[in-house]
Amino acid sequence: SYSLPSALFAAIEKTYEVTAFTLSSIEKMIIGAISPKNLSGPITIAQVANATVENGLESFIGFIALLSISLGVINLLPIPVLDGGHLLYYFIEIIVGRPVPEKVQMWGLQLGMVMIVSIMLLAFYNDLTRL
C-alpha cells in the first residue's frame, strides 16, 4: 500500500527505530537495567522464527529483517574481532598517522574473541535454561 518513495522512507525509518532499540537494549544490559537473561541464542531464534512462519510470510520476513538489522548493529560495535573493531583500528590509524601496532591488534583480537565467545555461551546457556 506504499508508493516506492514512501516505502523507501518507511523502510529507512523502521531501520532507524530497530537500530536505536538494539543500541538502547545493549546499553541497558551493560548498565544493568535489563537482565542478561533476556539475551537469546540460536534455539530461541529458531523458536521465534518458527512462530513467525506460522503467523504468515509477512511476519516471518519482518522477523528476519529485525534479526538482520540487530546483527548488523552488533557487528559494527567497536569489538576488535568484529567489523566495528577493524573500523576502530582504521580510525585510530587516521588520527595517529600509523597503523595500530600488531601486538596491540593481537591483544585486541584475543580480548574480542573472549568477549564474543562469552556472550555466545551466555546466550546459549539462557536458551537451554528456557527449555
Side-chain angles (χ1 to χ4, degrees), residues 2 15 25 44 70 86 102 116:
Y2 289 106
T15 301
S25 297
T44 302
S70 295
H86 293 290
E102 194 169 321
I116 296 300

Side-chain angles (χ1 to χ4, degrees), residues 27-38:
E27 176 189 12
K28 288 177 182 176
M29 200 170 291
I30 289 170
I31 64 172
I34 294 177
S35 171
K37 291 180 181 181
N38 291 313

Side-chain angles (χ1 to χ4, degrees), residues 13-94:
E13 186 176 45
K14 187 66 174 176
T15 301
Y16 175 80
E17 290 171 8
V18 171
T19 299
F21 175 77
T22 301
L23 290 171
S24 173
S25 297
I26 292 169
E27 176 189 12
K28 288 177 182 176
M29 200 170 291
I30 289 170
I31 64 172
I34 294 177
S35 171
K37 291 180 181 181
N38 291 313
L39 193 64
S40 297
I43 295 170
T44 302
I45 291 170
Q47 290 172 336
V48 173
N50 185 49
T52 59
V53 164
E54 291 173 0
N55 289 327
L57 183 61
E58 185 177 338
S59 177
F60 179 67
I61 290 173
F63 171 71
I64 295 300
L66 176 96
L67 186 63
S68 295
I69 294 166
S70 295
L71 288 174
V73 169
I74 290 168
N75 189 41
L76 289 174
L77 293 175
I79 299 173
V81 78
L82 301 175
D83 290 339
H86 293 290
L87 292 173
L88 177 65
Y89 288 150
Y90 297 144
F91 182 70
I92 291 170
E93 183 176 344
I94 289 169

